[in-house]
Amino acid sequence: MITLIKVRDYDEASDKAFEVMKEYLKPGKVLGLATGSTPLGLYARMVFDHEENGTSYQEIRSFNLDEYVGLPITHPESYYAFMHRNLFDHIDIKEENAHVPSGLGEDLEGQARAYDEMIDETPVDIQLLGIGSDGHIAFNEPGTPFDSGTHVTDLAESTIKDNCRFFDNDISKVPTQAVTQGIGTIMKAKHILLIATGANKAKAVKDMLEGPVDEVCPASILQRHEDVTVIVDEAAAALLDK
Ligand code: GLP
């Protein structure tokens, strides 16, 4: 079941997302974390809450959704670096408990399977998601099987263009592959929190919520999950029937 929360703008979306996330910032909880611009406001609120209220992450574990293939973790646009810069370096989560899939090494598919095994042993309590303008979740592009596990994938042309802004607007610098949790992996999370803001997400939001459940729109599978919260701002909600 999807609970839809409509807010005015990005700031309100981040406030609402923090309200939902706050319930999970407790010892023993397992967080599924995401990258992209969308969760930055939420991460800023988590850092503020840690500093002001002393909310501790010592007994919290996390699993990130995805990582580019071939970028060293020291590259500022690696998702490993992104997570440290925007969240992990500012809270007290233990390095060994903050998992980001690796996009480096000889046996990426083997590492991907091991990542899924870890998640099976440590089920995710709340999975945070953004959405791509083509309806992708994590890096599961249109056409990805709904039962997929963590795997290596080619990025869609539109995703490479969307992410160009993080690579000096130089398309040749954007990695063309990523390791991503599969849709099947994501669907195992007990609660899913998806945030979508801005006009370039409006079509994907409509397809996700009001379209058929179809691999053409990967996020549409969320209609089959039992506990999803979707937070949309006015611009992202613009094409919805209600
Ligand atoms: C990236 C990430 C996704 C993210 C999406 C949207 O490609 N792999 O996890 O949800 O793009 O990004 P943004 O939040 O910057 O719009």
Side-chain angles (χ1 to χ4, degrees), residues 33-40 65-68 79 128-133 136-141 155 159 162-163 165-166 178 180 195 197 200-201:
L33 299 177
T35 52
S37 322
T38 304
L40 286 175
L65 287 170
D66 46 11
E67 178 60 284
Y68 290 115
Y79 284 168
L128 177 62
L129 292 178
I131 185 169
S133 60
H136 75 232
I137 48 177
F139 270 131
N140 293 286
E141 298 286 14
L155 302 188
T159 301
D162 283 350
N163 289 357
R165 66 191 196 278
F166 300 116
T180 181
I195 311 168
T197 60
N200 69 325
K201 302 295 173 69

Side-chain angles (χ1 to χ4, degrees), residues 4 15 19 24 26 28 32 38 64 71 92 129 143 170 194 213:
L4 178 63
D15 286 341
E19 253 175 56
Y24 293 87
K26 295 177 179 154
T38 304
N64 261 81
L71 278 195
D92 63 345
L129 292 178
D170 179 349
L194 185 143
V213 176

Side-chain angles (χ1 to χ4, degrees), residues 67 71-78 80-81 85 104:
E67 178 60 284
L71 278 195
I73 60 172
T74 49
H75 189 292
E77 294 309 329
S78 76
Y80 177 93
R85 184 168 66 243
L104 298 170

Side-chain angles (χ1 to χ4, degrees), residues 69-103:
V69 167
L71 278 195
I73 60 172
T74 49
H75 189 292
E77 294 309 329
S78 76
Y79 284 168
Y80 177 93
F82 175 99
M83 288 309 300
H84 281 76
R85 184 168 66 243
N86 293 301
L87 184 65
F88 298 154
D89 289 353
H90 311 288
I91 58 176
D92 63 345
I93 197 163
K94 295 176 183 157
E95 168 73 16
E96 67 270 26
N97 287 344
H99 304 278
V100 180
S102 168

Side-chain angles (χ1 to χ4, degrees), residues 155-166 169 171 174:
L155 302 188
E157 219 33 64
S158 61
T159 301
I160 293 175
K161 279 196 198 119
D162 283 350
N163 289 357
C164 206
R165 66 191 196 278
F166 300 116
N169 282 314
I171 210 149
V174 187

Side-chain angles (χ1 to χ4, degrees), residues 2-21:
I2 298 182
T3 305
L4 178 63
I5 301 175
K6 290 185 181 177
V7 297
R8 200 173 54 234
D9 55 18
Y10 181 79
D11 268 354
E12 265 189 32
S14 303
D15 286 341
K16 257 290 166 231
F18 180 69
E19 253 175 56
V20 176
M21 181 60 85

